[in-house]
PDB file of all heavy atoms in Angstrom:
ATOM      1  N   PHE A  25     151.169 135.805 143.920  1.00 95.00           N
ATOM      2  CA  PHE A  25     151.843 135.897 142.626  1.00 95.00           C
ATOM      3  C   PHE A  25     151.425 134.746 141.716  1.00 95.00           C
ATOM      4  O   PHE A  25     151.312 133.600 142.140  1.00 95.00           O
ATOM      5  CB  PHE A  25     153.355 135.856 142.816  1.00 95.00           C
ATOM      6  CG  PHE A  25     153.940 137.134 143.346  1.00 95.00           C
ATOM      7  CD1 PHE A  25     154.589 137.149 144.575  1.00 95.00           C
ATOM      8  CD2 PHE A  25     153.862 138.310 142.619  1.00 95.00           C
ATOM      9  CE1 PHE A  25     155.139 138.320 145.071  1.00 95.00           C
ATOM     10  CE2 PHE A  25     154.401 139.486 143.107  1.00 95.00           C
ATOM     11  CZ  PHE A  25     155.040 139.493 144.338  1.00 95.00           C
ATOM     12  N   ALA A  26     151.244 135.089 140.440  1.00 96.00           N
ATOM     13  CA  ALA A  26     150.955 134.079 139.419  1.00 96.00           C
ATOM     14  C   ALA A  26     151.803 134.397 138.195  1.00 96.00           C
ATOM     15  O   ALA A  26     151.306 134.837 137.156  1.00 96.00           O
ATOM     16  CB  ALA A  26     149.468 134.054 139.074  1.00 96.00           C
ATOM     17  N   TYR A  27     153.099 134.192 138.339  1.00 96.00           N
ATOM     18  CA  TYR A  27     154.019 134.410 137.219  1.00 96.00           C
ATOM     19  C   TYR A  27     153.975 133.211 136.278  1.00 96.00           C
ATOM     20  O   TYR A  27     154.035 132.068 136.722  1.00 96.00           O
ATOM     21  CB  TYR A  27     155.452 134.577 137.727  1.00 96.00           C
ATOM     22  CG  TYR A  27     155.778 135.971 138.209  1.00 96.00           C
ATOM     23  CD1 TYR A  27     155.541 136.346 139.523  1.00 96.00           C
ATOM     24  CD2 TYR A  27     156.325 136.918 137.342  1.00 96.00           C
ATOM     25  CE1 TYR A  27     155.847 137.626 139.973  1.00 96.00           C
ATOM     26  CE2 TYR A  27     156.629 138.195 137.772  1.00 96.00           C
ATOM     27  CZ  TYR A  27     156.386 138.545 139.092  1.00 96.00           C
ATOM     28  OH  TYR A  27     156.680 139.803 139.533  1.00 96.00           O
ATOM     29  N   PRO A  28     153.882 133.442 134.984  1.00 97.00           N
ATOM     30  CA  PRO A  28     154.001 132.323 134.035  1.00 97.00           C
ATOM     31  C   PRO A  28     155.368 131.661 134.172  1.00 97.00           C
ATOM     32  O   PRO A  28     156.349 132.294 134.577  1.00 97.00           O
ATOM     33  CB  PRO A  28     153.850 133.012 132.669  1.00 97.00           C
ATOM     34  CG  PRO A  28     153.106 134.285 132.959  1.00 97.00           C
ATOM     35  CD  PRO A  28     153.584 134.719 134.314  1.00 97.00           C
ATOM     36  N   PRO A  29     155.468 130.363 133.819  1.00 96.00           N
ATOM     37  CA  PRO A  29     156.710 129.595 134.044  1.00 96.00           C
ATOM     38  C   PRO A  29     157.762 129.851 132.966  1.00 96.00           C
ATOM     39  O   PRO A  29     158.127 128.972 132.196  1.00 96.00           O
ATOM     40  CB  PRO A  29     156.220 128.143 134.017  1.00 96.00           C
ATOM     41  CG  PRO A  29     155.049 128.179 133.082  1.00 96.00           C
ATOM     42  CD  PRO A  29     154.379 129.504 133.312  1.00 96.00           C
ATOM     43  N   LYS A  30     158.274 131.064 132.921  1.00 94.00           N
ATOM     44  CA  LYS A  30     159.194 131.474 131.855  1.00 94.00           C
ATOM     45  C   LYS A  30     160.427 130.577 131.787  1.00 94.00           C
ATOM     46  O   LYS A  30     160.871 130.181 130.704  1.00 94.00           O
ATOM     47  CB  LYS A  30     159.627 132.918 132.122  1.00 94.00           C
ATOM     48  CG  LYS A  30     160.161 133.653 130.902  1.00 94.00           C
ATOM     49  CD  LYS A  30     159.005 134.121 130.043  1.00 94.00           C
ATOM     50  CE  LYS A  30     159.485 135.018 128.921  1.00 94.00           C
ATOM     51  NZ  LYS A  30     158.355 135.490 128.100  1.00 94.00           N
ATOM     52  N   GLY A  31     161.006 130.260 132.952  1.00 93.00           N
ATOM     53  CA  GLY A  31     162.198 129.421 132.954  1.00 93.00           C
ATOM     54  C   GLY A  31     161.936 128.038 132.382  1.00 93.00           C
ATOM     55  O   GLY A  31     162.754 127.507 131.615  1.00 93.00           O
ATOM     56  N   LEU A  32     160.790 127.456 132.715  1.00 96.00           N
ATOM     57  CA  LEU A  32     160.456 126.132 132.189  1.00 96.00           C
ATOM     58  C   LEU A  32     160.155 126.196 130.695  1.00 96.00           C
ATOM     59  O   LEU A  32     160.394 125.221 129.962  1.00 96.00           O
ATOM     60  CB  LEU A  32     159.258 125.554 132.949  1.00 96.00           C
ATOM     61  CG  LEU A  32     159.468 125.326 134.449  1.00 96.00           C
ATOM     62  CD1 LEU A  32     158.279 124.591 135.044  1.00 96.00           C
ATOM     63  CD2 LEU A  32     160.763 124.555 134.722  1.00 96.00           C
ATOM     64  N   GLN A  33     159.647 127.327 130.231  1.00 96.00           N
ATOM     65  CA  GLN A  33     159.414 127.483 128.792  1.00 96.00           C
ATOM     66  C   GLN A  33     160.739 127.445 128.033  1.00 96.00           C
ATOM     67  O   GLN A  33     160.810 126.912 126.918  1.00 96.00           O
ATOM     68  CB  GLN A  33     158.672 128.789 128.514  1.00 96.00           C
ATOM     69  CG  GLN A  33     157.212 128.771 128.962  1.00 96.00           C
ATOM     70  CD  GLN A  33     156.519 130.106 128.736  1.00 96.00           C
ATOM     71  OE1 GLN A  33     156.272 130.862 129.667  1.00 96.00           O
ATOM     72  NE2 GLN A  33     156.218 130.415 127.487  1.00 96.00           N
ATOM     73  N   CYS A  34     161.781 128.011 128.624  1.00 94.00           N
ATOM     74  CA  CYS A  34     163.100 127.947 127.992  1.00 94.00           C
ATOM     75  C   CYS A  34     163.574 126.492 127.880  1.00 94.00           C
ATOM     76  O   CYS A  34     164.162 126.090 126.865  1.00 94.00           O
ATOM     77  CB  CYS A  34     164.106 128.765 128.793  1.00 94.00           C
ATOM     78  SG  CYS A  34     163.820 130.553 128.747  1.00 94.00           S
ATOM     79  N   LEU A  35     163.319 125.695 128.920  1.00 96.00           N
ATOM     80  CA  LEU A  35     163.713 124.285 128.875  1.00 96.00           C
ATOM     81  C   LEU A  35     162.864 123.512 127.867  1.00 96.00           C
ATOM     82  O   LEU A  35     163.365 122.590 127.204  1.00 96.00           O
ATOM     83  CB  LEU A  35     163.587 123.663 130.264  1.00 96.00           C
ATOM     84  CG  LEU A  35     164.459 124.282 131.360  1.00 96.00           C
ATOM     85  CD1 LEU A  35     164.330 123.481 132.645  1.00 96.00           C
ATOM     86  CD2 LEU A  35     165.909 124.374 130.929  1.00 96.00           C
ATOM     87  N   LYS A  36     161.625 123.865 127.749  1.00 96.00           N
ATOM     88  CA  LYS A  36     160.762 123.241 126.736  1.00 96.00           C
ATOM     89  C   LYS A  36     161.306 123.528 125.332  1.00 96.00           C
ATOM     90  O   LYS A  36     161.305 122.650 124.460  1.00 96.00           O
ATOM     91  CB  LYS A  36     159.338 123.765 126.866  1.00 96.00           C
ATOM     92  CG  LYS A  36     158.324 123.154 125.898  1.00 96.00           C
ATOM     93  CD  LYS A  36     156.947 123.755 126.123  1.00 96.00           C
ATOM     94  CE  LYS A  36     155.935 123.235 125.104  1.00 96.00           C
ATOM     95  NZ  LYS A  36     155.546 121.842 125.384  1.00 96.00           N
ATOM     96  N   ALA A  37     161.811 124.756 125.134  1.00 95.00           N
ATOM     97  CA  ALA A  37     162.399 125.111 123.852  1.00 95.00           C
ATOM     98  C   ALA A  37     163.667 124.296 123.581  1.00 95.00           C
ATOM     99  O   ALA A  37     163.939 123.917 122.443  1.00 95.00           O
ATOM    100  CB  ALA A  37     162.717 126.607 123.820  1.00 95.00           C
ATOM    101  N   VAL A  38     164.448 124.018 124.628  1.00 95.00           N
ATOM    102  CA  VAL A  38     165.622 123.155 124.480  1.00 95.00           C
ATOM    103  C   VAL A  38     165.192 121.761 124.036  1.00 95.00           C
ATOM    104  O   VAL A  38     165.780 121.162 123.123  1.00 95.00           O
ATOM    105  CB  VAL A  38     166.407 123.071 125.802  1.00 95.00           C
ATOM    106  CG1 VAL A  38     167.510 122.027 125.701  1.00 95.00           C
ATOM    107  CG2 VAL A  38     167.010 124.426 126.150  1.00 95.00           C
TER     108      VAL A  38
END
Side-chain angles (χ1 to χ4, degrees):
F25 285 118
Y27 278 88
K30 201 79 172 181
L32 298 187
Q33 289 177 255
C34 292
L35 299 185
K36 182 180 176 74
V38 172

